[in-house]
Amino acid sequence: MNFLHLLTLSLFSIVILADTSCGPKFKGKCTCGYTTYDDRRQYVVNCTDQGFTNTTVLEYLPLETQVLIFTGNNIQELPWNVFGAIDNLTELSIVDMSNNHIHEIRGKSFHHVINVRRLILNHNNLSISSDDDEINFHHPRVFSNFINLQELHLTNAFADNTSSELSEDLHDIFVNSNLTQLRKLHLEQNEISKFRDRKVFCDLPHLMDLHLGDNLLKDINFDVKCLKRLRFIDLERNKFEYLKQRDLQALDDLQNSRKNLNLTIDLMDNPFTCDCPIQTFKSWVGKTNVTVRNLENYVCIRKTRRNYVLDLSLTRCKVNSHKNAATVTHTAALVFLLVVLSFVLVALLGALIYISKDRIKTVLNPALTQVSKKVQYTSIKDDDAPEQYV
């Protein structure tokens, strides 16, 4: 009985410790403590899938917090000063607020985040533009306090059917937020079809990795030459049928302007068409100093009258690259075949005439005899004509 009593007290003590490890304000919904994160020991506060509908609890984060995981909740709006008014979270370096249904981030939501290096806002429902004059979600200084931010993750972060002016709004944010230390930017899965503002990324001078996979881009219609430290562009699973000469030249110009930094681009799983423009891309791949990642897995699609056929990989596209020469050769072969068939036809006709010569002679003799008689009759009449008409 004493053993059961001690066991009960022990379990009760564990529950109390679990409830109070983050402090009483958390009501046992979060876990706090040192654990391995990013391959090193860090103090992590984890509030995943706890049904929070506001961020009030985040004003009471333990001072030693290095990593905040606040995901899977239902936070429609981030208010001012999410982390409270006191500047004491000097250790906080990673903030993950993914999958919270966030619709609006106010301009003063993030304060006291001077040492945050990574901000993750994936899988939210952000609106940074609005056609409604009474509602303004455009807060260009939303990230202005992240002066040491190195990674910004915005995968599937914006509302579906995002405004075509997204690039202009992002540009305003990048300009006004002063993200001069940003190295990595993730914008995958945001239905981006084009960037109306070609300078959209030019105010990120230290940008090294730009992730634009799983969007709707058909060309590189943003300025890359202004990104002097860019080393990787992810354009996987977009809508590229080919790359324009202008885009290829821009990539070359950027690569050739640096000595010790190599540019890599990934265009896997784009719907390339097996046509003349893709041969320009193939030729460029063979001579450029830009690294094209996973090239051996690229395929193009050949259009037929009835359907689409998965065609040759670009590593074998040499066969397809001489399309015009192949067409000329094919035409010449047809002409040669036609000439040969003509000779054969003439020979067969001659043989047929030779074999049937007796029958032909029998048929033609009466006609020849009649013609001969007419000629003789005409000659006689000419001989008997009066002298005055001669």
Side-chain angles (χ1 to χ4, degrees):
M1 195 69 175
N2 290 333
F3 173 75
L4 292 175
H5 181 67
L6 290 173
L7 181 60
T8 302
L9 287 175
S10 298
L11 291 175
F12 182 70
S13 299
I14 291 173
V15 171
I16 291 176
L17 287 173
D19 286 343
T20 60
S21 60
C22 295
K25 297 292 185 179
F26 289 81
K27 298 180 180 180
K29 290 187 175 183
C30 305
T31 60
C32 300
Y34 284 96
T35 186
T36 300
Y37 188 93
D38 268 5
D39 298 324
R40 67 189 184 94
R41 186 173 174 78
Q42 301 189 74
Y43 193 95
V44 178
V45 175
N46 192 334
C47 301
T48 300
D49 297 329
Q50 292 302 315
F52 287 107
T53 56
N54 60 63
T55 61
T56 302
V57 70
L58 299 183
E59 298 178 20
Y60 305 98
L61 289 175
L63 299 183
E64 59 268 43
T65 302
Q66 295 172 283
V67 178
L68 170 63
I69 304 174
F70 191 81
T71 65
N73 296 291
N74 189 13
I75 313 296
Q76 295 290 317
E77 177 184 319
L78 293 187
W80 288 4
N81 296 330
V82 168
F83 300 122
I86 301 175
D87 187 5
N88 51 16
L89 293 173
T90 57
E91 300 297 322
L92 186 62
S93 62
I94 298 174
V95 175
D96 184 353
M97 301 189 75
S98 301
N99 195 28
N100 281 320
H101 305 283
I102 300 173
H103 186 55
E104 180 180 6
I105 302 176
R106 292 188 174 274
K108 297 181 180 180
S109 292
F110 293 113
H111 274 212
H112 318 305
V113 288
I114 188 173
N115 291 319
V116 172
R117 294 180 292 101
R118 182 188 305 164
L119 175 62
I120 307 173
L121 292 168
N122 298 336
H123 308 295
N124 279 294
N125 197 33
L126 298 176
S127 292
I128 59 176
S129 290
S130 176
D131 295 330
D132 189 342
D133 293 335
E134 297 180 0
I135 303 175
N136 180 18
F137 297 120
H138 190 145
H139 304 300
R141 294 180 57 81
V142 65
F143 302 128
S144 60
N145 291 305
F146 292 94
I147 60 175
N148 288 307
L149 193 66
Q150 296 182 12
E151 299 180 27
L152 179 57
H153 296 252
L154 295 171
T155 298
N156 190 30
F158 301 99
D160 291 342
N161 302 314
T162 298
S163 168
S164 60
E165 297 178 352
L166 173 63
S167 64
E168 297 176 10
D169 297 324
L170 286 175
H171 188 195
D172 289 346
I173 289 174
F174 297 152
V175 171
N176 290 280
S177 293
N178 196 28
L179 298 173
T180 58
Q181 301 304 313
L182 194 68
R183 265 70 168 171
K184 295 182 180 181
L185 176 61
H186 288 262
L187 286 169
E188 301 99 320
Q189 302 176 29
N190 283 306
E191 301 181 9
I192 301 172
S193 59
K194 62 180 179 179
F195 291 101
R196 291 178 59 180
D197 183 356
R198 291 187 59 84
K199 301 291 184 180
V200 58
F201 304 119
C202 287
D203 290 279
L204 305 173
H206 284 83
L207 190 64
M208 300 175 71
D209 299 339
L210 178 57
H211 296 265
L212 294 168
D214 295 288
N215 279 295
L216 305 173
L217 295 170
K218 293 183 177 180
D219 58 0
I220 306 175
N221 64 342
F222 56 90
D223 192 351
V224 298
K225 292 185 287 186
C226 62
L227 302 173
K228 300 302 182 182
R229 301 197 180 194
L230 191 64
R231 65 183 182 184
F232 177 59
I233 308 176
D234 170 25
L235 291 167
E236 299 176 82
R237 294 176 296 277
N238 273 274
K239 297 297 181 183
F240 286 85
E241 294 184 357
Y242 61 93
L243 265 77
K244 296 179 179 179
Q245 182 63 44
R246 177 197 67 190
D247 296 338
L248 299 175
Q249 186 62 53
L251 294 173
D252 277 337
D253 290 344
L254 175 61
Q255 176 58 42
N256 295 334
S257 67
R258 292 102 56 96
K259 293 182 179 180
N260 301 317
L261 185 59
N262 187 52
L263 176 63
T264 298
I265 187 170
D266 195 334
L267 289 152
M268 268 280 289
D269 296 326
N270 274 282
F272 292 120
T273 57
C274 303
D275 207 341
C276 293
I278 202 62
Q279 306 311 325
T280 301
F281 175 61
K282 171 63 177 175
S283 176
W284 175 81
V285 167
K287 62 184 179 181
T288 185
N289 292 320
V290 176
T291 300
V292 183
R293 198 165 75 172
N294 296 318
L295 179 63
E296 66 277 4
N297 296 320
Y298 287 18
V299 295
C300 57
I301 296 173
R302 173 179 294 165
K303 294 182 179 180
T304 66
R305 290 184 179 180
R306 295 184 179 180
N307 57 11
Y308 292 85
V309 182
L310 196 61
D311 199 53
L312 305 174
S313 69
L314 291 181
T315 55
R316 297 164 54 201
C317 207
K318 184 176 180 181
V319 176
N320 214 32
S321 66
H322 296 292
K323 182 177 179 181
N324 292 336
T327 301
V328 173
T329 303
H330 183 63
T331 303
L334 288 176
V335 171
F336 175 75
L337 181 61
L338 182 62
V339 171
V340 171
L341 290 175
S342 298
F343 277 114
V344 172
L345 181 62
V346 170
L348 289 174
L349 184 62
L352 180 63
I353 293 174
Y354 179 77
I355 293 173
S356 305
K357 61 181 180 179
D358 293 335
R359 182 178 298 177
I360 294 173
K361 186 176 180 180
T362 301
V363 173
L364 293 178
N365 270 340
L368 293 173
T369 301
Q370 187 66 27
V371 170
S372 177
K373 288 181 178 181
K374 288 183 178 181
V375 171
Q376 292 175 358
Y377 177 76
T378 302
S379 298
I380 292 172
K381 287 184 67 177
D382 288 342
D383 290 340
D384 295 339
E387 290 183 1
Q388 62 267 27
Y389 293 104
V390 177

